[in-house]
């Protein structure tokens, strides 16, 4: 009987966690100087998986990610179809194999993400709805 109750409680907690992750809206942001205003979902995946390294004008893409947060989890699950751990391991493999120089910049807060993207030419990142942005940032449309 105890095992059944524990199983039911565990399932309920998992449902609550999944629904909170699914309910959060994530926006893709870029430095205002980036030439593109929209990306296909595949282009976004290619950028964050290290396959696309330049914008349409051939300028370098600089990737920003958030450190262990609900927003990061939502982003990796929604846009990359990966868990946060799979995303991290993917980048470690790229660096170890020499296919990438470094792992993308990891930022502790969404405001740090906004500062990084706004002050770094060619930068791209993501934030949750309600995060304040300035004129150095634009929100990209994902088609």
């Amino acid at each position: 009987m105890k095992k059944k109750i524990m199983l039911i409680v565990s399932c309920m907690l998992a449902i609550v966690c999944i629904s909170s992750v699914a309910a959060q809206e994530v926006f893709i942001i870029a430095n205002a100087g980036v030439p593109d205003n929209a990306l296909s979902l595949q282009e976004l995946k290619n950028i964050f998986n290290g396959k696309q390294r330049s914008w349409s004008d051939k300028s370098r893409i600089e990737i920003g990610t958030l450190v262990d947060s609900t927003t990061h989890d939502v982003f990796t699950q929604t846009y990359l179809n990966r868990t946060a751990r799979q995303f991290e391991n993917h980048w470690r493999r790229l660096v170890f194999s020499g296919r990438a120089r470094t792992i993308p910049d990891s930022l502790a807060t969404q405001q740090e993400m906004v500062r990084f993207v706004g002050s770094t030419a060619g930068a791209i990142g993501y934030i949750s709805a309600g995060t304040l942005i300035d004129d150095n940032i634009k929100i990209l449309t994902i088609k």
Side-chain angles (χ1 to χ4, degrees):
M1 182 68 168
K2 268 187 168 179
K3 286 184 180 181
K4 284 185 179 180
I5 291 173
M6 290 298 286
L7 181 62
I8 291 170
V9 169
S10 295
C11 289
M12 290 173 64
L13 285 173
I15 290 169
V16 168
C17 289
I18 289 169
S19 62
S20 70
V21 166
Q24 186 178 18
E25 190 172 10
V26 174
F27 292 101
I28 308 305
I29 60 172
N31 181 280
V34 165
D36 304 294
N37 292 315
L39 297 171
S40 70
L41 181 57
Q42 189 59 53
E43 288 173 316
L44 183 68
K45 284 180 182 181
N46 288 345
I47 289 169
F48 278 91
N49 287 326
K51 293 179 181 175
Q52 181 176 334
R53 297 182 179 151
S54 59
W55 295 104
S56 61
D57 68 351
K58 307 298 183 216
S59 62
R60 182 179 165 90
I61 295 174
E62 298 291 340
I63 301 171
T65 63
L66 290 170
V67 177
D68 299 325
S69 69
T70 302
T71 304
H72 181 64
D73 292 342
V74 171
F75 171 77
T76 58
Q77 289 173 8
T78 303
Y79 291 104
L80 307 179
N81 297 322
R82 294 176 182 237
T83 65
R85 173 73 62 186
Q86 289 170 325
F87 176 75
E88 180 181 327
N89 288 338
H90 170 76
W91 274 97
R92 286 180 187 205
R93 279 191 304 274
L94 288 178
V95 170
F96 182 74
S97 68
R99 292 180 291 171
R101 289 183 297 138
T102 61
I103 293 174
D105 289 303
S106 294
L107 305 152
T109 68
Q110 295 192 56
Q111 286 309 313
E112 283 183 26
M113 175 70 81
V114 168
R115 280 193 294 278
F116 169 77
V117 171
S119 64
T120 306
I124 187 171
Y126 50 88
I127 55 174
S128 63
T131 304
L132 297 176
I133 60 173
D134 57 37
D135 293 340
N136 297 319
I137 303 284
K138 63 178 166 183
I139 297 174
L140 298 180
T141 302
I142 305 304
K143 356 174 218 178

